[in-house]
Structure formats: C-alpha cells, structure tokens
Amino acid sequence: MSARTLPLLFLNLGGEMLYILDQRLRAQSIPGEKARKDEWTDVDRKRVMNDIITTMFNKKFMEELFKPQELYSKKALRTVYDRLAHASIMRLNQASMDKLYDLMTMAFKYQVLLCPRPKDILLVTFNHLDTIKDFICDSPGILNQVDETFRQLIETYSCLSAGEFQLIRQTLLIFFQDMHIRVSIFLKDKVQNSNGRFVLPISGPVPWGTEVPGLIRVFNHNGDEVKRTEFTTDGNYVTPQREGSFDLYGDRVLKLGTNMYSVSRPVETHMSGSSKNLASHAKENTVPNPLAKEEMDFLARLLGGLEVKTPGGSETGFRLNLFTTDEEEEHAALTRPEELSYKVINIEATQEPGRRAELSRILGELEVAEPRPASSGKGEDLLALMDGL
C-alpha cells in the first residue's frame, strides 16, 4: 500500500462531488426574481460551491492530508464527504447522499482504470482542480487556496518514480475493487456492463513514451538488434502527439477527470434504478475490525460529529434531491441495504495518553484537536475544527 495515495483519492472524489452538485444545482435553480424563499437560485448555487471548496481546500487540513499515511477505511472516508457536502446551506438526505457518493466513486474508479500509465493519475487530479478553479473564478481568495494545493501536488508527486506511481494506482484499485454500482451515464455509453463492471477499450492512444504494438525486436548479447518480426493486433493504436503538462497551468492533453456532467450532457446523474438492489453493491468486510470503532470515533471528533446544525437566524437550509422525484428518493431510502448505514458513535474524548497515541497512529499521526464550541455559521464549524488539526 502506498502512503501517498490519500491526497489523490480525496481530491479526485471531491472534484467528482463538485461536478455532480453543480449540475444538479443548476438543474434545480430558479431565476432570482421568480424564486420563492425555499427555492434554489444561482446565487445559492455559487454560495454552496464556494463554501464547500473553501472547506475542502482549508490550508491546515491540506497540510495534514499530504502527510504520508494509509488510506482511511471506506466508512471513514464516506464520513468526510458527508460532512463536506453539508458545509454550506445545502442539505442532502441519506438516500441522496448515498447516490452522490456512488456516482463519485464509480466515476473516479473508471478514470483510474483508463489511465494510460500510472503517472497520468496526477493529470486526472489536475483536470479536476482546473475545473474546480473555473467554479470559483470570481473568488480570488478561494482560487489561492486551490493554487496552493496545486503547488503541494507538484512538490509531492513530481519527483516520484514510475514504480511509486504504479503502487499508488494499485492502492486505488484495491480500494475500489468491490464497488460495482451501475451508473446510467456509463451504461448508455456502453462502457459498463449490466453487472456493474467496466468495459476497457483495446484501441486508442498508447501511453506517452511507448510505441504502438506490432513489432518484436531481438537483440544479441552486445545489445545490437539482429532481428525484427512484425505482428498484427486486434486494436487500433496511435501514438500520442505530446505529453500532458504537469505544471500549474498547461494543456493536460488527457481528458480523464474533466466534467462529464457539463452542458453537453445535461441530466446524466441518474443511476440505474435496479442498481440499489444488486448483490454486487459495495460491501465492507464482515470480519470485525477492533480498530474500526476507534477510528470512526476519532474521525467524528475531528469533524465535529455528524449532526448537522439547523441554520440559525432567518436562513433556511436548502434541500437538494439527486433523484428525479421525491418518490424515487423515498423508495431508495426504504430499500437501502443495511450494510450501507454509515453511523458514527460519539463518545467523550479521553485524555488517556495511550489511547490518544493509538488513535493518532490510526489516522496517520494527526494531532488530536481540542474540542471547540459549535459555530452557528454555515460550514464554519468544520473549518474551525480543521484549523485545530
């Protein structure tokens, strides 16, 4: 397992989450002059995106995220995104949050599978961050936060070898290996089978720095080429024209990680209706993990617990539905498998040194933040706790 995988996993899944939320918020937005008090407007959409991106790219949180550490468990990582999605005035019920997370994970899994070479996972991450910057192009302060994360990525990953990137890719594939949720956008494009497994192409550009298959060279003991044999392939391969840019600004060339929910594909966040009842739905290992409860308890404490505070003052928490109708959402909640219940047990924080050290070790030697009073502002409670990391 690579200790450098967590930042790439967090940022790419976060990028997919922002793509989906932006698409659904745009679909449900009402012009400001026509909107009722409980309806979304474009101003609300921008506010939600800004609040979530600000929280996601909090400087001190990013510093902790980039420290070498093992991946969080699936449930712990899901808890992070649950809290992140509610860092603004937007509210998702459990069924919509489930659907959001399924779409996020399957999209990034597909991108990892399609990467021509392991190092290109970094280009996928840059594509996500480039698009996130477009979301907040009129907010210079938040842009600076994202640019700082860009610099951290370049500093951390530009010096890694091909073997280290291969280990990162393998770690990501292990994380995703039991997730086979059917997504309609993939089913329609025929890149996913009815069992939720992806169909990988056998044609297209070969990885940068490699040659098109079809030629075998034989060398003697002096390293001189003595024979050539050509063979035919089933695929139609081409050589890429240039390598994608790994700089702060530049042409990434690779399109994986760009926003597939853009205007050209307007209403494509729907998963196949029968997917929620499939036995192939992602499941956690049923063998009890003695450290799992401690990990979740500690994570809940870092994130201030899962309870979302009711917006104070005259503000209303706006509800976002990722389903076509409320009835679909209610049905998904009723048919939700028990193993997908992500619950966190909040316990009183102990000051026992041994327990603190063990919990710190579990989450990559993070310092335990002292509890702070809850804030009434949208997203400020999580930001305040992140500031204590």
Side-chain angles (χ1 to χ4, degrees):
M1 298 285 282
S2 172
R4 290 292 186 186
T5 307
L6 183 59
L8 300 180
L9 179 63
F10 176 80
L11 291 171
N12 284 289
L13 287 180
E16 289 299 321
M17 181 180 77
L18 290 167
Y19 292 171
I20 297 164
L21 293 179
D22 179 73
Q23 191 272 333
R24 294 308 295 162
L25 290 170
R26 287 181 186 276
Q28 297 185 25
S29 290
I30 305 294
E33 65 276 6
K34 298 180 181 179
R36 300 192 308 267
K37 188 177 180 180
D38 61 340
E39 291 180 322
W40 286 102
T41 66
D42 198 54
V43 173
D44 294 322
R45 179 188 62 80
K46 289 181 179 179
R47 178 180 174 184
V48 167
M49 299 297 284
N50 285 359
D51 286 348
I52 293 177
I53 294 170
T54 299
T55 304
M56 180 176 170
F57 291 92
N58 173 273
K59 183 178 179 181
K60 292 191 176 181
F61 180 65
M62 282 291 121
E63 288 174 356
E64 294 295 342
L65 186 73
F66 273 81
K67 290 181 179 179
Q69 57 191 297
E70 296 297 325
L71 287 184
Y72 292 172
S73 67
K74 290 185 176 68
K75 287 189 177 182
L77 193 67
R78 160 61 193 265
T79 301
V80 173
Y81 289 106
D82 200 320
R83 196 71 183 91
L84 188 60
H86 293 92
S88 186
I89 57 174
M90 181 185 66
R91 296 294 172 258
L92 296 171
N93 74 12
Q94 196 65 66
S96 283
M97 189 64 216
D98 288 343
K99 181 174 184 178
L100 173 63
Y101 190 70
D102 286 344
L103 290 166
M104 291 159 50
T105 52
M106 294 307 289
F108 184 44
K109 176 181 179 179
Y110 184 56
Q111 292 158 16
V112 173
L113 287 170
L114 284 190
C115 273
R117 55 178 181 168
K119 187 179 180 180
D120 289 335
I121 292 173
L122 193 54
L123 290 178
V124 174
T125 310
F126 286 176
N127 274 335
H128 279 110
L129 266 61
D130 286 339
T131 310
I132 289 172
K133 287 171 68 175
D134 291 339
F135 290 146
I136 38 104
C137 58
D138 55 352
S139 303
I142 312 176
L143 269 172
N144 287 336
Q145 286 181 254
V146 181
D147 279 341
E148 182 57 35
T149 300
F150 249 118
R151 295 184 185 96
Q152 284 182 278
L153 282 167
I154 294 170
E155 180 182 345
T156 302
Y157 293 95
S158 61
C159 59
L160 297 188
S161 66
E164 288 171 307
F165 274 110
Q166 173 61 19
L167 187 57
I168 288 173
R169 182 176 184 272
Q170 204 64 31
T171 304
L172 289 170
L173 292 176
I174 291 170
F175 181 84
F176 289 124
Q177 66 180 345
D178 296 324
M179 299 182 181
H180 306 296
I181 300 125
R182 301 197 305 172
V183 179
S184 68
I185 190 171
F186 295 137
L187 293 169
K188 289 176 182 177
D189 288 347
K190 300 187 185 303
V191 298
Q192 191 179 30
N193 291 325
S194 58
N195 62 3
R197 296 182 183 275
F198 288 112
V199 179
L200 301 182
I202 59 170
S203 299
V206 296
W208 174 259
T210 63
E211 298 181 10
V212 172
L215 179 65
I216 300 173
R217 295 185 179 93
V218 180
F219 298 85
N220 62 19
H221 63 281
N222 293 321
D224 300 322
E225 183 179 325
V226 295
K227 182 180 179 182
R228 285 192 175 195
T229 304
E230 294 186 357
F231 64 94
T232 57
T233 62
D234 293 332
N236 182 22
Y237 301 100
V238 295
T239 304
Q241 294 182 344
R242 61 190 183 282
E243 184 181 23
S245 171
F246 289 91
D247 297 326
L248 184 61
Y249 303 100
D251 182 5
R252 313 301 175 193
V253 179
L254 192 72
K255 299 305 178 185
L256 297 173
T258 54
N259 190 355
M260 66 177 178
Y261 305 103
S262 57
V263 180
S264 60
R265 312 185 76 154
V267 196
E268 294 289 4
T269 56
H270 306 303
M271 285 189 303
S272 173
S274 60
S275 66
K276 50 184 168 282
N277 295 320
L278 286 178
S280 61
H281 207 302
K283 293 184 179 181
E284 293 289 336
N285 193 332
T286 56
V287 178
N289 180 355
L291 298 180
K293 182 175 180 296
E294 283 82 356
E295 181 184 78
M296 292 297 291
D297 290 342
F298 182 52
L299 185 65
R301 184 171 171 221
L302 285 177
L303 299 182
L306 283 180
E307 182 181 358
V308 179
K309 304 296 181 183
T310 304
S314 59
E315 289 186 313
T316 304
F318 285 87
R319 174 176 167 268
L320 179 66
N321 183 0
L322 265 73
F323 293 82
T324 308
T325 64
D326 289 346
E327 289 73 18
E328 265 191 51
E329 188 178 50
E330 291 169 4
H331 176 72
L334 291 173
T335 57
R336 186 169 178 258
E338 182 63 29
E339 67 269 12
L340 295 181
S341 295
Y342 297 93
K343 298 178 181 177
V344 173
I345 302 172
N346 292 312
I347 61 172
E348 293 211 6
T350 177
Q351 298 300 319
E352 181 182 341
R355 181 176 171 82
R356 285 170 62 94
E358 176 64 7
L359 295 178
S360 294
R361 186 192 66 76
I362 294 169
L363 288 185
E365 298 181 357
L366 296 179
E367 290 295 326
V368 178
E370 292 302 322
R372 294 174 178 235
S375 167
S376 59
K378 313 297 185 303
E380 291 178 2
D381 50 346
L382 181 54
L383 277 170
L385 285 161
M386 285 182 173
D387 285 339
L389 287 175

